[in-house]
Amino acid sequence: MLQILDLVFEYFFKYPRFIYERGELVWAGSWHPLWLLLGLCAGIILVGWSYRWASSRASSTTAWGLAALRAAGLGILVICLFRPTLVLSTAVPQQNVVAVLIDDSRSMAVPDVGSRARGEVAHELFDGEDSLLREALEERFLVRRFRFSTEAARISDAEELTFQGTRTLTGRALEFVQQDLSSVPLTGIVLVTDGGDHDRPALDDALLRLRSEGVPVHVVGIGGERLEPNVEIERVDIPRSVLRGSTVTADVAVAHSGLGGIRIPVRVEEDGRILAVEEVELPEGGGSVTVQLPFLLEESGVRRLRVRVPEQAGEVVRENNHRDIHVRVRDGRDKILFYEGQPRFEVGFLRRAIRDDENLQLVVLQRTGDERFIRLDVDDGEELAGGFPRTREELFEYRGLVLGSVEASAFTPQQMRMIVDFVDRRGGGLLFLGGGLSLGEGGYTGTALEPLLPVVPNGVPATGTPAEAFSAELKVSPTESGARHPILPFGPGQHARSGSEAFGLAERELLTGWDELPPLTTVNRLGAPRSGATVLLTGTDLDLPGSEQPVLTYQRYGAGLSVLLSVHDTWLWQMHGDIPLEDRTHETFWRQLLRWLVQDAPDPLEASAVRDRVAPGEPVELLARIRSEEHLPVNGATVVATVTDPFGSETTVGLSWNLDRDGEYRGSFLPEVAGPFEIRIEADDAGRPLTAPPLHVEAGVHDEEFQGAAMRIDLLRRIASETSGAFYTVDQVERLPEALRHIERGTVMQEERDLWDLPLFFFLLVGLLSTEWFIRRRQGLA
């Protein structure tokens, strides 16, 4: 549509639209403007006088209308006599440089331009033997050619293009060209690409610099806006670090075009072994569909997984049918502190539920009286000897915290601030349990702990009057979000898909569906969930049908996680008479809940590679974050990475403190060969040694280039718009040389373009006089 409008504009206004945008309107007529204005006034008076006779044979409205039409025609003639002219700055031939920057990545090999590869079309346009575009550019400019993918380089001709680059870094390429040609008069940059880009911050920075220096980028888009037929793994969301034995759910988005209505399997595989599979139906008309695939990870170490869909007949691009991901499976033992204020069955059954889990250590602090406690599963006699931790160092040793039926007044103001920091700063997981002394009934309203609650408490502390006690029996069921969440694996129809195989259970240990579970009890009044909180389980009051309240709700709070389980007798899911003896619903629920609670809690030294898949010769950026025992950023530590290549050789890389961010250290190394690299990062914080779990980076040819392989026209238009350039398709690119001529950069001269002979003036004049004659004819005045 825009192309048609541009053609219509040029037809009526003689020149393309950009000529008017860049030119300055002047009046070049030799007559003095005063004489022309006087002549126009005299002509209008004469026209009005000449139609005075018509008023006797027609209405005054008709007479004045005829006069206005003839006066308008006379006005157009006067404008033409003024000789309207556009004055433009035009590049002096062979005195200015134009940079042609051609995408050399693998996606340019996609054959979707009339069955020809994108790179082949780019080559013919800008360096073919019969290329009129190349001749027009070289006739007026000094043309400098560049290629780019992971890096940019100058080339002598397009024969040096290979279209084998594994990533497209457009921003870095634009910056390279700008710096390389900083000493010459650069008229503009011609960017030839399909719009792939894998470093958006770098592109934003490059566009800002180009705009500030007035360097326009003219973009030539290569490729189709849609690939049909095509199906691809658009997105995979999965935890990158989990405890051994955890059930992980991969949230997979499958996008397609031209394949609506068919069903295809989505698989998670490892070394050819299928871990999970689920069929999805592709929606009509294109778009994407999301599917959850739960699976069990029992072996520790870095697991290299592939999520894929099968290739479909006629697909143009098959490399985007899969995505590879790395998941680090930790074999540690995560400590969780459970502080319970009164004896109740929930404590014993919770301990029993995770008794066989070798990766969870539930340390129980059970209050039995004033300043009297029972400590269970502590590491030594000193741990929690004084009751609930009184320092941040002591509390921050745990990755998770469970607060049972314990009143707010049991904590000092300092301890309350510590709990807030435990979630907000340390990044730990906090679980509130319902009970007679918890939430609003425990006096949490108005305290420092209240914002941590993902649901607003409505209860008030009991006054001791039995009639005021609140209790509700709730039939629990998952919400739409809960049904997809990895900690809620059981439910009707889920046994076959994710039962024993996904959760590591024996065939006889099936999970009970939600409809079959007995109701639970809450003694806490609750309000609405907070903004940003997610409800996973709700409970329907059996005495008030239609009345619901949140049962399991969570929210992200700072760096950590805050969860509320508002019932106080989940042990009924184990001991109720209707539950089979071999049923594992209670154990599975608590194992999954506690593992999720501590899943993202960071260690004092957190290390990562910015990308875990690179091409040989592409730098690998390493990132380390160090926190003190109170989880405050640490600057000035010594951080070293030991890199082991595929042949077992080791090299040492130092990481330097990032002055822009406290506690952050960066470094890089260059993998020169293909294969797996292991990186061990260690730090010394004033005598405190820290070690991060090993990182793994794969160097080789990857298929990242083909994710979203259709031409990204919105991004290309944005690049052109933000730098005052223009966007062209292959069919429009012949206009490019003319557009480059009229840029106020480099060595320029003034050029004039006449406007008095615009086709628009001719059509207006003919239309006005024809209309005037037609009206006179109808009125018998001709």
Side-chain angles (χ1 to χ4, degrees), residues 687-745:
R688 181 177 64 130
L690 300 170
T691 303
L695 305 175
H696 292 79
V697 172
E698 190 80 23
V701 178
H702 303 291
D703 297 322
E704 184 179 4
E705 263 295 303
F706 297 98
Q707 305 299 333
M711 181 177 66
R712 301 177 187 179
I713 191 169
D714 292 337
L715 176 62
L716 299 183
R717 290 188 186 279
R718 178 195 155 210
I719 293 172
S721 174
E722 291 191 9
T723 58
S724 299
F727 170 77
Y728 303 90
T729 63
V730 172
D731 297 331
Q732 301 168 324
V733 74
E734 71 275 1
R735 301 184 179 187
L736 176 61
E738 182 69 12
L740 287 169
R741 284 184 58 214
H742 302 290
I743 295 177
E744 297 181 359
R745 280 188 57 82

Coordinates of all heavy atoms in Angstrom, one line a residue, residues 687-745:
G687 N 40.4 -13.3 51.8 CA 40.6 -14.6 52.5 C 39.5 -15.5 52.5 O 39.6 -16.7 53.0
R688 N 38.3 -15.1 52.0 CA 37.2 -16.0 51.9 C 37.1 -16.6 50.5 O 36.8 -16.0 49.6 CB 35.9 -15.2 52.2 CG 34.6 -16.1 52.1 CD 33.4 -15.3 52.5 NE 33.1 -14.3 51.5 CZ 31.9 -14.1 51.0 NH1 30.9 -14.8 51.2 NH2 31.7 -13.0 50.1
P689 N 37.5 -17.9 50.4 CA 37.5 -18.6 49.1 C 36.1 -18.9 48.6 O 35.2 -19.4 49.4 CB 38.3 -19.8 49.3 CG 38.1 -20.1 50.8 CD 38.0 -18.8 51.5
L690 N 35.8 -18.7 47.4 CA 34.5 -18.9 46.8 C 34.7 -19.7 45.5 O 35.6 -19.4 44.7 CB 33.7 -17.6 46.5 CG 33.4 -16.8 47.8 CD1 32.8 -15.4 47.3 CD2 32.4 -17.5 48.7
T691 N 33.8 -20.6 45.2 CA 33.9 -21.4 44.0 C 32.5 -21.6 43.4 O 31.6 -21.9 44.1 CB 34.5 -22.8 44.2 OG1 35.8 -22.7 44.8 CG2 34.6 -23.6 42.9
A692 N 32.4 -21.3 42.1 CA 31.1 -21.4 41.4 C 31.0 -22.8 40.7 O 32.1 -23.3 40.3 CB 30.9 -20.3 40.4
P693 N 29.9 -23.3 40.5 CA 29.7 -24.6 39.7 C 30.3 -24.4 38.3 O 30.3 -23.3 37.8 CB 28.2 -24.9 39.7 CG 27.7 -24.1 40.9 CD 28.6 -22.9 41.0
P694 N 30.9 -25.4 37.7 CA 31.5 -25.3 36.4 C 30.4 -24.8 35.4 O 29.3 -25.1 35.4 CB 32.0 -26.7 36.1 CG 32.1 -27.4 37.4 CD 31.0 -26.8 38.2
L695 N 30.9 -24.0 34.4 CA 30.1 -23.5 33.3 C 30.6 -24.3 32.1 O 31.7 -24.8 32.0 CB 30.4 -22.0 33.0 CG 30.1 -21.1 34.2 CD1 30.5 -19.7 33.7 CD2 28.7 -21.1 34.6
H696 N 29.7 -24.5 31.1 CA 30.0 -25.2 29.9 C 29.5 -24.4 28.7 O 28.4 -23.9 28.7 CB 29.3 -26.6 29.9 CG 29.8 -27.5 30.9 ND1 29.5 -27.5 32.2 CD2 30.7 -28.5 30.7 CE1 30.1 -28.4 32.9 NE2 30.9 -29.1 32.0
V697 N 30.4 -24.2 27.7 CA 30.2 -23.4 26.5 C 30.5 -24.3 25.3 O 31.5 -25.0 25.3 CB 31.0 -22.1 26.5 CG1 30.9 -21.5 25.1 CG2 30.6 -21.2 27.6
E698 N 29.6 -24.3 24.4 CA 29.8 -25.1 23.2 C 30.2 -24.2 22.0 O 29.4 -23.3 21.7 CB 28.5 -25.9 22.8 CG 28.6 -26.9 21.8 CD 29.2 -28.2 22.3 OE1 29.1 -28.5 23.5 OE2 29.7 -29.0 21.5
A699 N 31.4 -24.5 21.4 CA 31.8 -23.7 20.2 C 31.5 -24.6 19.0 O 31.9 -25.7 18.9 CB 33.3 -23.4 20.3
G700 N 30.9 -24.0 18.0 CA 30.5 -24.7 16.8 C 29.5 -24.0 16.0 O 29.3 -22.8 16.2
V701 N 29.0 -24.6 15.0 CA 28.0 -24.0 14.1 C 26.6 -24.2 14.7 O 26.2 -25.4 14.9 CB 28.1 -24.6 12.7 CG1 27.0 -24.0 11.8 CG2 29.4 -24.3 12.1
H702 N 25.9 -23.2 15.0 CA 24.6 -23.3 15.6 C 23.6 -22.6 14.7 O 23.9 -21.9 13.8 CB 24.6 -22.6 17.0 CG 25.7 -23.1 17.9 ND1 25.6 -24.4 18.5 CD2 26.9 -22.6 18.4 CE1 26.7 -24.6 19.2 NE2 27.4 -23.6 19.2
D703 N 22.3 -22.9 15.1 CA 21.2 -22.5 14.2 C 20.5 -21.3 14.7 O 19.3 -21.1 14.4 CB 20.3 -23.7 14.0 CG 20.9 -24.8 13.3 OD1 21.7 -24.6 12.4 OD2 20.6 -26.0 13.7
E704 N 21.1 -20.5 15.6 CA 20.4 -19.3 16.1 C 20.0 -18.3 15.0 O 19.0 -17.6 15.2 CB 21.4 -18.6 17.1 CG 20.8 -17.4 17.8 CD 21.8 -16.8 18.8 OE1 23.0 -17.2 18.8 OE2 21.4 -15.8 19.5
E705 N 20.7 -18.3 13.9 CA 20.4 -17.4 12.8 C 19.0 -17.6 12.2 O 18.4 -16.7 11.6 CB 21.5 -17.5 11.7 CG 22.6 -16.5 11.7 CD 22.1 -15.1 11.5 OE1 21.4 -14.9 10.5 OE2 22.2 -14.3 12.4
F706 N 18.5 -18.8 12.3 CA 17.3 -19.2 11.7 C 16.0 -19.0 12.6 O 14.9 -19.4 12.1 CB 17.4 -20.6 11.1 CG 18.5 -20.8 10.1 CD1 19.7 -21.3 10.5 CD2 18.3 -20.4 8.8 CE1 20.7 -21.4 9.5 CE2 19.3 -20.5 7.8 CZ 20.5 -21.1 8.2
Q707 N 16.2 -18.6 13.8 CA 15.1 -18.3 14.7 C 14.4 -17.0 14.2 O 15.0 -16.0 14.2 CB 15.5 -18.2 16.1 CG 16.3 -19.4 16.6 CD 15.5 -20.7 16.6 OE1 14.3 -20.7 16.6 NE2 16.2 -21.8 16.5
G708 N 13.1 -17.1 13.9 CA 12.4 -15.9 13.3 C 13.0 -15.5 12.0 O 13.5 -14.3 11.8
A709 N 13.2 -16.4 11.0 CA 14.0 -16.2 9.8 C 13.3 -15.3 8.8 O 13.9 -14.9 7.8 CB 14.3 -17.6 9.2
A710 N 12.0 -15.0 8.9 CA 11.4 -14.1 8.0 C 12.0 -12.7 8.1 O 12.5 -12.3 9.2 CB 9.9 -14.0 8.3
M711 N 11.9 -11.9 7.0 CA 12.4 -10.6 7.1 C 11.7 -9.8 8.1 O 10.5 -9.7 8.2 CB 12.2 -9.9 5.7 CG 12.8 -8.5 5.7 SD 12.7 -7.7 4.1 CE 10.9 -7.5 3.9
R712 N 12.5 -9.1 9.0 CA 11.9 -8.3 10.1 C 11.7 -6.9 9.7 O 12.6 -6.0 9.9 CB 12.8 -8.4 11.3 CG 13.0 -9.9 11.8 CD 13.9 -10.1 12.9 NE 14.2 -11.5 13.2 CZ 15.0 -11.9 14.1 NH1 15.6 -11.1 14.9 NH2 15.2 -13.2 14.3
I713 N 10.7 -6.7 9.0 CA 10.5 -5.4 8.3 C 10.3 -4.2 9.3 O 10.7 -3.1 9.1 CB 9.3 -5.4 7.4 CG1 9.2 -4.2 6.5 CG2 8.0 -5.7 8.1 CD1 8.2 -4.3 5.3
D714 N 9.7 -4.5 10.5 CA 9.5 -3.4 11.5 C 10.8 -2.9 12.0 O 11.0 -1.7 12.1 CB 8.6 -4.0 12.6 CG 7.2 -4.2 12.2 OD1 6.7 -3.6 11.2 OD2 6.5 -5.0 12.9
L715 N 11.7 -3.8 12.3 CA 13.1 -3.4 12.7 C 13.8 -2.6 11.6 O 14.4 -1.6 11.9 CB 13.9 -4.6 13.1 CG 15.3 -4.3 13.6 CD1 15.4 -3.4 14.8 CD2 16.1 -5.6 13.8
L716 N 13.7 -3.1 10.4 CA 14.4 -2.4 9.3 C 13.8 -1.0 9.1 O 14.6 0.0 8.8 CB 14.3 -3.2 8.0 CG 14.9 -4.6 8.1 CD1 14.8 -5.3 6.7 CD2 16.3 -4.6 8.5
R717 N 12.5 -0.8 9.2 CA 11.9 0.5 9.0 C 12.4 1.4 10.2 O 12.6 2.6 10.0 CB 10.4 0.4 9.0 CG 9.8 -0.2 7.7 CD 8.3 -0.1 7.7 NE 7.7 -0.8 6.6 CZ 7.7 -0.3 5.3 NH1 8.2 0.9 5.1 NH2 7.1 -1.0 4.4
R718 N 12.5 0.8 11.3 CA 12.9 1.6 12.5 C 14.3 2.1 12.3 O 14.7 3.3 12.6 CB 12.8 0.8 13.8 CG 13.3 1.5 15.0 CD 13.5 0.6 16.2 NE 14.5 1.1 17.1 CZ 15.3 0.4 17.8 NH1 15.3 -0.9 17.8 NH2 16.1 1.0 18.6
I719 N 15.2 1.2 11.8 CA 16.6 1.6 11.6 C 16.7 2.8 10.6 O 17.4 3.8 10.8 CB 17.5 0.5 11.1 CG1 17.6 -0.6 12.1 CG2 18.8 0.9 10.6 CD1 18.2 -1.9 11.6
A720 N 15.9 2.7 9.5 CA 15.9 3.8 8.5 C 15.3 5.1 9.1 O 15.8 6.2 9.0 CB 15.1 3.3 7.3
S721 N 14.2 4.9 9.8 CA 13.5 6.1 10.4 C 14.3 6.9 11.4 O 14.4 8.1 11.4 CB 12.2 5.7 11.0 OG 11.5 6.7 11.6
E722 N 15.0 6.1 12.3 CA 15.7 6.8 13.4 C 17.0 7.5 12.9 O 17.6 8.3 13.6 CB 16.1 5.8 14.5 CG 14.8 5.3 15.2 CD 15.2 4.5 16.5 OE1 16.4 4.5 16.8 OE2 14.3 3.9 17.1
T723 N 17.4 7.2 11.7 CA 18.6 7.8 11.2 C 18.3 8.7 10.0 O 19.3 9.1 9.3 CB 19.7 6.7 10.7 OG1 19.1 5.9 9.7 CG2 20.1 5.9 11.9
S724 N 17.1 9.0 9.7 CA 16.6 9.8 8.6 C 17.0 9.2 7.3 O 17.2 9.9 6.3 CB 17.2 11.3 8.7 OG 16.8 11.9 9.9
G725 N 17.0 7.9 7.2 CA 17.2 7.2 5.9 C 15.9 6.8 5.4 O 14.8 7.3 5.7
A726 N 15.9 5.8 4.5 CA 14.7 5.2 3.9 C 14.8 3.7 3.8 O 15.9 3.2 3.8 CB 14.5 5.9 2.6
F727 N 13.6 3.1 3.8 CA 13.6 1.6 3.6 C 13.1 1.3 2.2 O 12.2 1.9 1.7 CB 12.6 1.0 4.6 CG 12.3 -0.4 4.4 CD1 13.2 -1.4 4.8 CD2 11.1 -0.8 3.8 CE1 12.9 -2.7 4.6 CE2 10.8 -2.1 3.5 CZ 11.8 -3.1 3.9
Y728 N 13.8 0.3 1.6 CA 13.5 -0.1 0.3 C 13.3 -1.6 0.2 O 14.1 -2.4 0.9 CB 14.6 0.3 -0.7 CG 14.9 1.7 -0.7 CD1 15.9 2.3 0.1 CD2 14.3 2.6 -1.6 CE1 16.2 3.6 0.1 CE2 14.6 3.9 -1.7 CZ 15.5 4.4 -0.8 OH 15.8 5.8 -0.8
T729 N 12.4 -2.1 -0.5 CA 12.3 -3.5 -0.9 C 13.1 -3.7 -2.1 O 13.7 -2.8 -2.7 CB 10.9 -4.0 -1.1 OG1 10.3 -3.2 -2.2 CG2 10.0 -3.7 0.1
V730 N 13.3 -5.0 -2.5 CA 14.0 -5.3 -3.7 C 13.4 -4.6 -4.9 O 14.1 -4.1 -5.8 CB 14.1 -6.8 -3.9 CG1 14.7 -7.1 -5.3 CG2 14.9 -7.5 -2.8
D731 N 12.1 -4.5 -5.0 CA 11.4 -3.8 -6.1 C 11.6 -2.3 -6.1 O 11.3 -1.7 -7.2 CB 9.9 -4.2 -6.1 CG 9.7 -5.7 -6.3 OD1 10.6 -6.4 -6.9 OD2 8.7 -6.2 -5.7
Q732 N 11.9 -1.7 -5.0 CA 12.0 -0.3 -4.9 C 13.4 0.3 -4.9 O 13.7 1.5 -5.0 CB 11.4 0.2 -3.6 CG 9.9 -0.2 -3.5 CD 9.4 0.1 -2.1 OE1 10.1 -0.1 -1.1 NE2 8.1 0.5 -1.9
V733 N 14.4 -0.6 -4.9 CA 15.8 -0.2 -4.7 C 16.4 0.7 -5.8 O 17.4 1.3 -5.5 CB 16.7 -1.5 -4.4 CG1 17.0 -2.2 -5.7 CG2 17.9 -1.1 -3.7
E734 N 15.8 0.7 -7.0 CA 16.3 1.5 -8.0 C 16.2 3.0 -7.7 O 16.9 3.8 -8.3 CB 15.6 1.2 -9.4 CG 14.2 1.7 -9.4 CD 13.2 0.7 -8.9 OE1 13.6 -0.3 -8.4 OE2 11.9 1.0 -8.9
R735 N 15.4 3.4 -6.7 CA 15.4 4.8 -6.3 C 16.5 5.2 -5.3 O 16.6 6.4 -5.0 CB 14.0 5.0 -5.5 CG 12.8 4.7 -6.4 CD 11.6 5.1 -5.6 NE 10.4 4.8 -6.3 CZ 9.1 5.1 -5.9 NH1 9.0 5.7 -4.8 NH2 8.1 4.9 -6.7
L736 N 17.2 4.2 -4.9 CA 18.3 4.5 -3.9 C 19.3 5.5 -4.3 O 19.6 6.5 -3.6 CB 18.9 3.2 -3.5 CG 20.1 3.3 -2.5 CD1 19.7 3.9 -1.2 CD2 20.7 1.9 -2.2
P737 N 19.9 5.4 -5.5 CA 20.9 6.4 -5.9 C 20.4 7.8 -5.9 O 21.2 8.7 -5.5 CB 21.3 5.9 -7.3 CG 21.0 4.5 -7.4 CD 19.8 4.3 -6.5
E738 N 19.2 8.0 -6.4 CA 18.7 9.4 -6.4 C 18.5 9.9 -5.0 O 18.7 11.1 -4.7 CB 17.3 9.4 -7.1 CG 16.7 10.7 -7.3 CD 17.4 11.7 -8.2 OE1 18.3 11.2 -8.9 OE2 17.1 12.9 -8.2
A739 N 18.1 9.0 -4.1 CA 17.9 9.5 -2.7 C 19.2 9.8 -2.0 O 19.3 10.8 -1.3 CB 17.2 8.4 -1.9
L740 N 20.3 9.1 -2.4 CA 21.6 9.4 -1.8 C 22.2 10.7 -2.3 O 23.0 11.3 -1.6 CB 22.6 8.2 -2.1 CG 22.3 6.9 -1.3 CD1 23.2 5.8 -2.0 CD2 22.7 7.1 0.1
R741 N 21.8 11.1 -3.5 CA 22.3 12.3 -4.1 C 21.9 13.5 -3.3 O 22.7 14.5 -3.2 CB 21.8 12.5 -5.5 CG 22.4 11.7 -6.6 CD 21.8 12.0 -7.9 NE 22.1 13.5 -8.2 CZ 21.2 14.3 -8.9 NH1 20.1 13.8 -9.3 NH2 21.5 15.5 -9.1
H742 N 20.7 13.5 -2.7 CA 20.2 14.7 -2.0 C 20.3 14.6 -0.5 O 19.3 14.6 0.2 CB 18.8 14.9 -2.5 CG 18.6 15.1 -4.0 ND1 19.1 16.1 -4.7 CD2 18.1 14.2 -4.9 CE1 18.8 16.0 -5.9 NE2 18.3 14.8 -6.1
I743 N 21.5 14.5 0.0 CA 21.8 14.4 1.4 C 22.8 15.5 1.8 O 23.8 15.7 1.1 CB 22.3 13.0 1.8 CG1 21.3 12.0 1.6 CG2 22.7 13.0 3.3 CD1 21.7 10.6 1.8
E744 N 22.5 16.3 2.8 CA 23.3 17.4 3.2 C 24.5 16.9 4.0 O 24.7 17.3 5.2 CB 22.5 18.4 3.9 CG 21.4 19.0 3.1 CD 20.6 20.1 3.9 OE1 20.9 20.3 5.0 OE2 19.7 20.7 3.3
R745 N 25.3 16.1 3.4 CA 26.5 15.6 4.1 C 27.6 15.5 3.0 O 27.4 15.3 1.9 CB 26.3 14.2 4.7 CG 25.6 14.2 6.0 CD 25.7 12.8 6.6 NE 27.0 12.3 6.8 CZ 27.9 12.6 7.8 NH1 27.5 13.4 8.7 NH2 29.1 12.1 7.8

